[in-house]
Amino acid sequence: MTGVRIWDGPSLPARVTANALNRRSFLRVGAAALGGMAALAAALSPLRELGSDQVPNLEQFLQKHYKQMTPAELEEALERIRAKVEKRFEVRPHLRDLKPMEGVEFGYALNLSRCIGCRKCVHACVAENNQSRTPEIQYIRVIEMPRGTLDVEQGTHHYDRPLVPDAEHFYLPVQCHQCANPPCVKVCPVEATWQEKDGVTVIDYDWCIGCRYCEAACPYWARRFNFAQPKLPKDQLNPNMSYLSNRPREMGVVEKCHFCLHRTREGRMPACAEVCPTGARKFGNLLDPHSEVSEILRTKRIFILKEEVGTLPRFFYYFDERYPNSLDPEAIAIADDLRAKEGAAYGCLPGSNGPDTEIIAAVTPQWWDGRTA
Amino acid sequence: MKNYLRFLSRCFRLSFVGDARYYAWMFLLTSVVLLGVNAYCKQLVAGLATTGMTDQVSWGFYIANFTFLVGMAAAAVMLVIPVYIYRNRELHDLVIFGELFAVAAIIMAMLFVSVDLGRPDRFHHLMLRFNFPSSMLTWDVVALNGYLLLNLHICGYLIYCAYMRRAPSKIFYIPFVFVAIAWAISIHTVTAFLYSGLGGRPFWNSAVIAPRFLASAFAAGPAFLVLTLSALKAFTTYQVSAKAFMTLRNIITVALTINMFLLAAEAFTEFYTDSAHGASARYLFLGLHGRTALVPWIWSAIALNLVAMVLLYTPLSRRVAILQFACVLLIVGIWIEKGMGLIVPAFIPTPLGEIVEYLPTRNETFVTLGIWALGLLIYTILVRITVPVLSGRLVFDRSFASATAEHHPQP
Ligand code: SF4
Ligand code: SF4
């Protein structure tokens, strides 16, 4: 039988395989091996720039899933995160793990007749939730919609007019709808994201593997991924944080709106609702018949976005029947006021010189001033 | 056991032995792999920001290649069926090359998913909390790993038997072959369900995705085998009969036709209905609001596939050179269709109607090329070992040297 032509080299194989490695072939093999090692080392060299906090230490590596941690282990994890934050931001954070409250299911209602598109909620959310500033990650997207449609594809995302609200448009803010049937939870391969008893879908940032399947699954484009190392200036850290909400994230994990659960589980309003200058945003307990949201659900003609995808959002929209053809005049007056006061910063695009600092003042809890304590 | 270890060590040594062209090819592949490793290290340091992906288009080149390769892996089964069910002896040995390619393709597919992860350091979380059966991604993990093991077992066993000069005992591989057939279909179906199960992405949310995946895979996989066999024929004395090529040609022709039909059916539904759900399809084929990044891609894919189809249907492609040409066209065409044509447009426009286009970056391309090169490297080594074993020159009771050099008289 004849041999395999190409792979049966005429001279080298015989010599190598005869176990008679003479000096020449030894040198040759050695040189090849050395060259290979050098090339590999060169290829791996970018790893030298890996920051020490980018490589998980053993404890972080072994940290369990949020739901599997015993209270003691959770406390250890919290302490670890506190230390890390303190090292990075030189602030001792007020970090804890807030559990859902009994008999509470959160819901949101948004009055589209009052939203003036000023994007204060967008900026307040960024300030409150310690998102990366460069690149800036935002949970809320306000879409400028032509009147007469609810098809978001006809909306404008990057409107940048100091004249909002425009009379021909209405403004549709979208954030995580905290679906009762959330596809994002269904698809996560490692259960890094789940729905809590109070209806908030949360993420264990220490468990997410960054596959972004949830991002593909969410019909409301509510999820954001940390494509780069999140950058947050030291003086912009909000030290009031909890494990499942706004503690600083790392690169490579997914995040999204969590209804400010570090506030709301203590009975306060989410930052976006608190900052909204027109009161378009109403937040509360759906299980409490006397809450404002329950009242709105009972009395207004509410609707949800993309009802056909079956996600059962806890985020409701409505128009005020009193003003079928325009925004609420009261809201327009507020907008006029703000425009006069804020000038160029008013209604600006996210990421541009927004009124971030002012917003921080507006949403910052009292003890913020004692931040170095 | 001792024999087996010796077999492995011989295989290992064999992979370093070859003539100048072999070394040149392996050197080229290794260099590209190292470039890929380098690019991946950069990605590890700076994050997935080194890719063209954004929150708007959150999956790109990596997942596209993953999808394509799962299909290629599944296609090995198209050779197995005629051999074991219809007892087509022509293709008997060739099955092994198909299954070896499945092994390489699965490894590449898994690497593509791995490089797409934001936190590869948490890979083990998959073992600790496995969201099965809810997440289709976990199904895919099971399917791919199972398929890899099955194929490793089947080829490994057959090759080892040839090496030991034993007739393979049917009970040790025939049942596995049948499981592998079903499994091959399942890996691609599960991968299709990964996309088609998402209600928020109307472009994917269609029942035809899974059949389309299978059809395109059953065209591209055998086409790749035609190219492999041509290489074997050109560079070795390994016998490949003309009939084998023609059987493959038939398989490819039928599969490609079905694929084109399904594509047309899909396009009809989207465009005739003309509902708001068709925005992604409109973006893909015609462009949307003046944004047309994908339009040239999809039309060149369609053109490539059509030309290949015409060639395959005419007697021209009875000439092996033409057949090879058609296979290259079709592989490229299907690669585009599955990648830029199927994964990316589902993200454009976003569920909130924003249009952000996607193009892979240089770094991302290097990582991609690196994985492809690694896959080809693995496949080359596997084939390099298999050929002398199957042709009876590497067997356990002969010296190693005889496998590589017996017919070359020593100087
Ligand atoms: S809006 Fe999106 S991210 Fe939020 S719960 Fe629903 S599917 Fe999940
Ligand atoms: S990105 Fe994270 S949270 Fe989202 S599906 Fe993957 S592992 Fe789960």
Side-chain angles (χ1 to χ4, degrees):
Chain A
M1 177 176 287
T2 47
V4 176
R5 260 186 284 138
I6 175 170
W7 293 316
D8 299 350
S11 55
L12 180 66
R15 220 172 308 152
V16 175
T17 54
N19 277 340
L21 278 177
N22 62 25
R23 233 187 81 147
R24 227 178 88 217
S25 68
F26 179 76
L27 283 179
R28 201 174 337 171
V29 169
L34 220 67
M37 295 308 271
L40 184 64
L44 292 174
S45 65
L47 289 182
R48 276 183 314 214
E49 283 159 43
L50 213 56
S52 60
D53 53 342
Q54 264 176 285
V55 188
N57 62 27
L58 189 66
E59 284 154 355
Q60 282 165 336
F61 187 75
L62 295 178
Q63 181 175 316
K64 289 189 193 147
H65 186 278
Y66 174 81
K67 289 189 191 167
Q68 273 172 328
M69 282 191 267
T70 64
E73 283 167 338
L74 184 64
E75 188 41 50
E76 264 173 47
L78 289 173
E79 191 45 44
R80 218 165 25 239
I81 298 164
R82 279 182 207 120
K84 208 170 166 179
V85 171
E86 197 168 356
K87 193 168 149 234
R88 205 168 121 200
F89 296 94
E90 293 159 16
V91 180
R92 178 88 181 151
H94 180 50
L95 170 71
R96 63 256 192 250
D97 173 46
L98 286 170
K99 302 283 185 209
M101 297 186 283
E102 279 309 317
V104 172
E105 188 181 326
F106 289 127
Y108 218 122
L110 206 150
N111 183 348
L112 292 173
S113 298
R114 283 189 84 93
C115 175
I116 53 172
C118 68
R119 294 198 177 109
K120 284 195 185 304
C121 52
V122 179
H123 295 287
C125 171
V126 173
E128 174 69 27
N129 288 312
N130 290 323
Q131 280 103 320
S132 169
R133 303 301 150 87
T134 36
E136 183 163 312
I137 289 184
Q138 293 144 358
Y139 297 163
I140 306 176
R141 189 43 81 82
V142 186
I143 310 174
E144 187 180 64
M145 299 286 293
R147 283 172 48 187
T149 180
L150 272 170
D151 172 13
V152 284
E153 267 159 42
Q154 299 189 37
T156 313
H157 286 246
H158 300 280
Y159 67 89
D160 199 5
R161 50 172 117 238
L163 290 179
V164 287
D166 177 68
E168 291 310 308
H169 293 88
F170 70 96
Y171 296 84
L172 178 73
V174 185
Q175 63 210 70
C176 173
H177 284 4
Q178 315 296 356
C179 311
N181 181 19
C184 58
V185 168
K186 197 156 73 175
V187 301
C188 176
V190 293
E191 293 173 20
T193 183
W194 65 91
Q195 194 176 175
E196 297 250 294
K197 269 222 303 284
D198 55 3
V200 182
T201 292
V202 293
I203 302 164
D204 182 348
Y205 310 115
D206 289 339
W207 198 258
C208 170
I209 58 173
C211 67
R212 306 189 299 296
Y213 196 8
C214 54
E215 211 176 3
C218 171
Y220 303 100
W221 195 62
R223 297 195 156 232
R224 301 293 181 274
F225 180 70
N226 285 280
F227 282 92
Q229 189 70 40
K231 280 200 202 70
L232 171 62
K234 279 181 193 159
D235 58 344
Q236 291 183 28
L237 179 84
N238 174 5
N240 175 32
M241 52 182 79
S242 85
Y243 185 94
L244 292 174
S245 67
N246 63 338
R247 64 185 166 112
R249 273 76 65 189
E250 290 176 21
M251 182 168 83
V253 300
V254 155
E255 55 181 279
K256 67 165 188 72
C257 160
H258 38 70
F259 277 178
C260 279
L261 59 79
H262 54 285
R263 295 169 141 251
T264 50
R265 281 183 183 173
E266 287 186 333
R268 296 162 64 205
M269 282 289 143
C272 50
E274 198 170 292
V275 79
C276 178
T278 63
R281 291 171 164 268
K282 305 291 183 198
F283 179 85
N285 182 4
L286 297 172
L287 300 183
D288 172 4
H290 306 297
S291 69
E292 208 177 354
V293 258
S294 299
E295 174 77 18
I296 291 169
L297 260 55
R298 257 198 321 273
T299 57
K300 303 286 179 189
R301 289 203 207 146
I302 51 141
F303 65 90
I304 51 177
L305 280 190
K306 305 199 185 202
E307 192 172 350
E308 72 278 10
V309 290
T311 46
L312 309 178
R314 290 191 182 85
F315 201 101
F316 306 91
Y317 296 93
Y318 62 103
F319 290 98
D320 197 326
E321 289 99 351
R322 283 176 300 171
Y323 314 105
N325 291 319
S326 69
L327 293 191
D328 185 334
E330 208 179 293
I332 297 178
I334 295 174
D336 290 341
D337 241 31
L338 284 171
R339 195 179 310 116
K341 250 199 322 229
E342 290 175 2
Y346 172 71
C348 64
L349 262 185
S352 50
N353 318 314
D356 277 5
T357 25
E358 265 171 66
I359 299 296
I360 290 180
V363 296
T364 302
Q366 293 309 313
W367 48 269
W368 170 283
D369 294 326
R371 43 198 283 129
T372 40
Chain B
M1 191 64 202
K2 219 178 112 202
N3 270 335
Y4 187 64
L5 290 178
R6 194 149 152 256
F7 169 66
L8 287 184
S9 96
R10 281 175 149 200
C11 289
F12 180 73
R13 280 160 65 197
L14 201 56
S15 57
F16 285 97
V17 178
D19 73 1
R21 280 179 297 176
Y22 178 73
Y23 284 126
W25 170 241
M26 297 303 264
F27 180 78
L28 178 78
L29 289 180
T30 313
S31 312
V32 179
V33 170
L34 286 176
L35 275 181
V37 169
N38 185 259
Y40 182 61
C41 289
K42 285 185 190 149
Q43 181 187 307
L44 272 184
V45 173
L48 284 156
T50 51
T51 70
M53 290 183 275
T54 52
D55 278 318
Q56 284 83 2
V57 184
S58 50
W59 277 345
F61 228 38
Y62 295 154
I63 297 299
N65 277 289
F66 155 77
T67 312
F68 178 74
L69 281 163
V70 170
M72 295 288 265
V77 80
M78 280 314 278
L79 300 176
V80 180
I81 291 174
V83 171
Y84 291 103
I85 297 185
Y86 300 111
R87 307 198 180 281
N88 176 338
R89 310 305 303 177
E90 283 304 323
L91 294 173
H92 196 271
D93 273 0
L94 308 187
V95 166
I96 291 193
F97 295 109
E99 284 184 349
L100 289 175
F101 183 66
V103 170
I106 291 280
I107 293 175
M108 283 190 265
M110 297 211 265
L111 282 173
F112 272 115
V113 182
S114 310
V115 298
D116 192 64
L117 291 184
R119 299 300 302 228
D121 55 315
R122 296 182 183 161
F123 208 84
H124 60 289
H125 289 182
L126 215 47
M127 256 92 78
L128 299 174
R129 268 191 104 90
F130 198 56
N131 192 8
F132 188 84
S134 166
S135 168
M136 289 318 291
L137 207 51
T138 56
W139 281 74
D140 225 12
V141 171
V142 174
L144 290 182
N145 282 298
Y147 193 62
L148 180 64
L149 291 180
L150 274 172
N151 279 299
L152 277 176
H153 167 76
I154 296 170
C155 333
Y157 180 71
L158 290 180
I159 295 171
Y160 187 56
C161 283
Y163 169 79
M164 294 301 284
R165 293 190 173 173
R166 262 197 330 237
S169 117
K170 287 225 155 82
I171 180 121
F172 276 125
Y173 80 101
I174 293 289
F176 291 98
V177 168
F178 282 98
V179 176
I181 292 174
W183 208 288
I185 293 175
S186 86
I187 60 169
H188 217 27
T189 309
V190 165
T191 307
F193 287 176
L194 200 79
Y195 308 113
S196 67
L198 303 182
R201 304 271 168 196
F203 186 70
W204 284 339
N205 192 213
S206 139
V208 85
I209 295 274
R212 230 181 99 191
F213 268 32
L214 288 173
S216 63
F218 289 167
F224 188 85
L225 271 172
V226 166
L227 299 182
T228 308
L229 296 179
S230 310
L232 281 182
K233 217 174 145 188
F235 297 128
T236 76
T237 49
Y238 193 81
Q239 297 302 313
V240 184
S241 69
K243 224 172 134 204
F245 279 116
M246 289 309 119
T247 314
L248 286 173
R249 174 173 169 253
N250 290 345
I251 295 174
I252 297 169
T253 314
V254 172
L256 185 61
T257 312
I258 296 178
N259 183 44
M260 295 306 279
F261 169 71
L262 292 176
L263 183 68
E266 180 107 78
F268 169 81
T269 316
E270 299 275 20
F271 284 99
Y272 190 82
T273 317
D274 201 20
S275 74
H277 277 176
S280 290
R282 267 207 308 284
Y283 171 74
L284 174 64
F285 287 99
L286 305 173
L288 207 58
H289 303 302
R291 313 292 273 284
T292 55
L294 289 186
V295 175
W297 290 87
I298 191 68
W299 287 107
S300 37
I302 291 176
L304 289 168
N305 283 343
L306 281 180
V307 173
M309 204 162 98
V310 170
L311 286 177
L312 285 167
Y313 268 110
T314 53
L316 272 177
S317 54
R318 289 187 178 280
R319 300 231 320 268
V320 173
I322 304 280
L323 180 63
Q324 287 164 357
F325 179 65
C327 286
V328 172
L329 294 186
L330 156 175
I331 291 174
V332 177
I334 288 180
W335 180 81
I336 297 176
E337 191 199 309
K338 277 270 186 71
M340 296 311 252
L342 191 100
I343 303 303
V344 178
F347 293 94
I348 307 169
T350 68
L352 294 188
E354 190 183 4
I355 300 181
V356 173
E357 304 199 283
Y358 164 84
L359 264 185
T361 58
R362 213 173 55 144
N363 207 65
E364 200 175 2
T365 313
F366 277 144
V367 174
T368 304
L369 288 176
I371 295 177
W372 271 98
L374 184 69
L376 289 179
L377 195 75
I378 293 172
Y379 188 49
T380 310
I381 291 175
L382 291 175
V383 172
R384 198 267 167 273
I385 292 165
T386 307
V387 169
V389 174
L390 286 188
S391 54
R393 284 177 311 97
L394 184 68
V395 287
F396 78 104
D397 49 5
R398 278 207 228 165
S399 82
F400 181 75
S402 69
T404 58
E406 63 165 12
H407 49 284
H408 297 296
Q410 297 263 330

